[in-house]
């Protein structure tokens, strides 16, 4: 009987040890590397920013996230990429579906109430993309009576109509790729969203030399890396972002992903410096 008690106690200790080990192995955000994974949210459908292709994942946000993950102790093959659509980002962080999100994620007061942000790591602006041979659009006011394309659900085109070009003819397409095809075929005169996103699309090989950015800088979009509210990853990611700028990796990522479109990027923003 005494032997049974000892055996039962030993079994209980062993079970607790196994449980603790199992729990520890699932902590993707500890930054300790080893055999663990880190889950990172990105866009899957934004060339130059975050795109899933048959060859893997590419884009500026992918390069930034990969660099950050390495600084946290994770190699590229330990990253589990998760698609983070715009409407799902806060929920994914709150539920713990991902450790952090780098997905053209503008820092806003409304979002800061729900999640924390490291960064910013890029200052983008709302802009327009036009055909390379079109010299008729030199300012936002020139969009009056022009066909202005944006994606269904986006507020970018409406912002221009409300504030800058009240006579613009707004057209809503389902995707940016559809807008680009319309721009190429002269069904529309301009496409509007963040300049970084526009540069990413225009930098695709099939569009090289066909489009140009207006350079209007109509809004400030401070891209940050989202983390769960109260997460200690925020400070670690901020340090990684500072290192990325300091060692030149940030500039290389900008040139690689946006350079072919003639994107005139802002200098790397200072951590915590959010432009209104």
């Amino acid at each position: 009987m005494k032997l049974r008690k000892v055996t039962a106690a030993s079994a209980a200790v062993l079970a607790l040890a196994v449980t603790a080990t199992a729990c520890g192995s699932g902590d993707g955000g500890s930054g300790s590397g080893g055999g663990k994974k880190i889950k990172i949210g990105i866009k899957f459908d934004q060339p130059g920013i975050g795109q899933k292709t048959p060859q893997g994942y590419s884009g500026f946000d992918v390069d930034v996230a990969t660099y950050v993950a390495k600084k946290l102790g994770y190699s590229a093959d330990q990253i589990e990429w998760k698609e983070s659509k715009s409407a799902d980002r806060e929920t994914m962080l709150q539920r713990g579906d991902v450790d952090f999100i780098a997905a053209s994620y503008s820092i806003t007061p409304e979002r800061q109430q729900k999640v924390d942000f490291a960064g910013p790591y890029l200052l983008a602006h709302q802009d327009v993309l036009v055909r390379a041979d079109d010299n008729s659009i030199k300012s936002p006011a020139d969009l009056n009576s022009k066909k202005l394309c944006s994606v269904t659900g986006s507020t970018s085109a409406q912002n221009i109509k409300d504030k800058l070009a009240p006579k613009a003819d707004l057209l809503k397409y389902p995707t940016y790729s559809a807008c680009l095809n319309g721009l190429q075929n002269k069904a529309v005169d301009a496409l509007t969203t963040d300049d970084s996103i526009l540069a990413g699309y225009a930098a695709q090989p099939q569009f090289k030399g066909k489009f140009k950015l207006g350079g209007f800088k109509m809004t400030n979009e401070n891209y940050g890396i989202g983390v769960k509210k109260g997460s200690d990853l925020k400070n670690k990611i901020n340090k990684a972002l500072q290192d990325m700028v300091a060692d030149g990796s940030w500039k290389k990522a900008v040139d690689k992903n946006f350079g072919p479109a003639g994107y005139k990027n802002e200098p790397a923003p200072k951590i915590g410096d959010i432009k209104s």
Side-chain angles (χ1 to χ4, degrees):
M1 194 168 184
K2 189 173 182 180
L3 181 59
R4 285 196 205 100
K5 285 184 178 179
V6 172
T7 304
S10 300
V13 170
L14 180 61
L16 285 171
V18 170
T19 302
T21 303
C23 290
S25 66
D27 180 11
S30 67
S32 58
K36 291 184 273 191
K37 295 279 188 180
I38 186 166
K39 297 177 181 179
I40 303 175
I42 57 169
K43 291 291 181 68
F44 277 16
D45 59 352
Q46 286 185 346
I49 300 286
Q51 185 179 28
K52 181 180 180 180
T53 70
Q55 291 74 41
Y57 301 88
S58 64
F60 180 69
D61 284 347
V62 174
D63 290 343
V64 170
T66 301
Y67 185 98
V68 169
K70 184 177 180 181
K71 287 290 184 176
L72 294 176
Y74 296 89
S75 60
D77 60 2
Q78 290 176 303
I79 298 173
E80 185 176 339
W81 300 108
K82 297 281 190 178
E83 183 175 17
S84 297
K85 295 180 180 178
S86 295
D88 300 334
R89 291 177 295 202
E90 286 84 35
T91 302
M92 291 180 72
L93 287 168
Q94 290 167 341
R95 284 194 312 228
D97 296 343
V98 291
D99 294 295
F100 67 80
I101 289 178
S104 55
Y105 202 0
S106 296
I107 302 171
T108 68
E110 295 77 17
R111 290 170 179 164
Q112 286 176 307
Q113 292 177 8
K114 300 175 182 177
V115 300
D116 285 340
F117 285 96
Y121 63 93
L122 184 74
L123 177 59
H125 307 281
Q126 185 182 346
D127 201 356
V128 297
L129 194 70
V130 299
R131 289 182 293 278
D133 60 356
D134 186 351
N135 297 313
S136 67
I137 301 175
K138 298 178 179 178
S139 72
D142 293 331
L143 294 167
N144 281 306
S145 302
K146 298 284 189 178
K147 293 178 179 178
L148 179 62
C149 188
S150 192
V151 172
T152 303
S154 169
T155 59
S156 300
Q158 193 62 49
N159 287 341
I160 291 178
K161 187 173 179 68
D162 290 345
K163 301 173 184 177
L164 300 169
K167 294 182 181 178
D169 182 11
L170 302 190
L171 298 173
K172 298 284 183 74
Y173 282 28
T175 64
Y176 290 115
S177 295
C179 278
L180 272 173
N181 289 331
L183 187 58
Q184 187 174 3
N185 299 330
K186 299 187 178 182
V188 302
D189 300 303
L191 161 61
T192 185
T193 187
D194 296 356
D195 54 6
S196 57
I197 296 173
L198 294 173
Y201 274 97
Q204 293 178 93
Q206 68 268 35
F207 295 130
K208 191 173 181 180
K210 295 182 178 180
F211 305 116
K212 63 183 178 182
L213 290 161
F216 299 157
K217 298 184 178 181
M218 293 177 278
T219 63
N220 290 328
E221 306 295 337
N222 303 271
Y223 287 5
I225 292 181
V227 298
K228 191 173 184 177
K229 202 77 173 169
S231 172
D232 64 353
L233 276 180
K234 176 180 175 179
N235 292 333
K236 295 176 183 178
I237 293 173
N238 278 334
K239 177 62 168 63
L241 293 173
Q242 289 174 324
D243 291 345
M244 188 175 187
V245 173
D247 69 18
S249 298
W250 183 88
K251 186 64 167 64
K252 287 180 182 177
V254 169
D255 292 343
K256 182 182 84 172
N257 293 291
F258 304 133
Y263 178 59
K264 296 178 176 62
N265 65 282
E266 297 279 5
K270 293 182 179 179
I271 299 300
D273 184 11
I274 300 170
K275 304 292 187 186
S276 60

